[in-house]
Amino acid sequence: MNVGLGANEAHTFAAGHALVCYASDAVYTFIPKNACSTMRVSLANANGCIDGTENWTWIHPNNRTFTATLRELVTARFTFVILRCPYARLASVFLDKIVSKTPEFWSLYRLENDEIDESALTFRDFVEAIAKPENIRANIHWRPQEDFLVYEEYDAYFPLEQFKASIPHIERESGLSIIDARPLTRHGTDRFELLSGKCFADTSLAELADMKRVGKSPAHESLYDASLVDRVAEIYTADIELYLSRFGPADLLFPPKEDT
């Protein structure tokens, strides 16, 4: 059924995450946990709103400042998006936002009617909580990546797992100079000793927080066992298929098994 574009909720959501680089007429789709702080700092710098990394926190209250108009979406010279392995993205959300009890944790806490045990929650518990139909799209940090795509086809798709190698292409076509925001945000696991000798799927938030305080963190893949791999594959089927269709299986944490 045809509806007014403004009443198309899927389009409105995706269009709200399409950001413009004014000098080059490039449109970048912003997906949380996919180098989004690096890209937003780079975009704010290119659009003249910050000077390098000075006042970089300006990006936080200004997520929508460069949102593309319909005209800018239609006339963009270059369109691109950065996708991420869905298993790694979800692990990153958990270790960064949930273990550290940022507002995203409290958002989930309220969604679960304040019934989450703040100390005992595990990655397995988290996966089951966000898998509920009323929760899966309730927060942009674990919302499926497919929901952010405003175009049926972009000029370029880049895997976060190959981001460093992709920078020259992004800079050449978009007019951006990429500024690495990781030392500023300290959101990633790059500053931790990553542990992979055991499965941490059932390790409590309290234990994980203690680990982070002494500079240690589970590697993303160490949060999963076989049942969780299957569960996340079920929840994020479309995202995994999207990733595979663009990049193949090489950089997925858990490539699909070939039929025998």
Side-chain angles (χ1 to χ4, degrees):
M1 181 176 67
N2 289 330
V3 298
L5 196 60
N8 184 326
E9 293 182 5
H11 170 80
T12 300
F13 177 82
H17 292 82
L19 310 182
V20 182
C21 181
Y22 297 126
S24 63
D25 291 327
V27 170
Y28 152 69
T29 282
F30 150 50
I31 302 178
K33 301 308 293 179
N34 295 11
C36 65
S37 293
T38 286
M39 295 305 300
R40 285 180 294 144
V41 168
S42 303
L43 188 61
N45 182 65
N47 284 343
C49 289
I50 63 173
D51 183 11
T53 57
E54 186 176 350
N55 299 320
W56 72 272
T57 55
W58 180 91
I59 66 173
H60 295 313
N62 284 282
N63 279 346
R64 300 301 179 92
T65 297
F66 307 127
T67 299
T69 64
L70 180 59
R71 180 182 181 88
E72 288 167 333
L73 287 173
V74 171
T75 62
R77 187 190 62 79
F78 177 66
T79 61
F80 70 105
V81 62
I82 298 166
L83 301 176
R84 187 175 190 178
C85 165
Y87 302 105
R89 180 173 180 251
L90 195 61
S92 178
V93 172
F94 178 74
L95 292 171
D96 176 26
K97 304 298 184 183
I98 304 303
V99 174
S100 297
K101 295 185 181 176
T102 65
E104 289 72 26
F105 170 84
W106 298 108
S107 170
L108 185 62
Y109 186 83
R110 298 302 178 206
L111 289 169
E112 290 292 279
N113 299 313
D114 297 6
E115 293 180 356
I116 287 176
D117 187 320
E118 297 176 38
S119 298
L121 186 80
T122 67
F123 183 64
R124 194 184 308 278
D125 297 330
F126 169 67
V127 170
E128 288 307 319
I130 61 100
K132 297 176 182 179
E134 64 271 26
N135 292 348
I136 188 62
R137 288 178 166 82
N139 189 284
I140 59 174
H141 290 82
W142 59 75
R143 185 165 179 153
Q145 295 173 72
E146 63 166 346
D147 288 359
F148 293 83
L149 304 185
V150 71
Y151 296 104
E152 287 189 6
E153 191 73 23
Y154 285 78
D155 292 318
Y157 298 78
F158 299 103
L160 180 65
E161 291 73 21
Q162 301 296 330
F163 183 69
K164 185 176 181 180
S166 301
I167 287 175
H169 187 177
I170 296 172
E171 291 185 332
R172 182 174 64 252
E173 297 294 339
S174 71
L176 297 172
S177 294
I178 301 300
I179 299 171
D180 187 351
R182 288 175 300 174
L184 306 172
T185 63
R186 298 177 62 80
H187 288 168
T189 56
D190 52 295
R191 68 187 191 279
F192 294 108
E193 177 189 348
L194 299 181
L195 306 178
S196 56
K198 59 173 281 190
C199 177
F200 293 90
D202 298 305
T203 304
S204 70
L205 287 193
E207 293 175 84
L208 292 169
D210 286 344
M211 289 169 56
K212 290 180 72 174
R213 276 191 284 272
V214 296
K216 298 180 180 181
S217 174
H220 290 161
E221 63 272 17
S222 296
L223 287 173
Y224 289 86
D225 60 13
S227 64
L228 275 171
V229 170
D230 290 343
R231 187 69 172 119
V232 171
E234 178 185 4
I235 299 165
Y236 291 98
T237 298
D239 277 2
I240 291 170
E241 290 176 351
L242 172 65
Y243 190 95
L244 285 169
S245 72
R246 295 297 169 181
F247 314 123
D251 288 316
L252 276 180
L253 281 185
F254 306 104
K257 296 181 177 65
E258 295 183 7
D259 295 330
T260 56

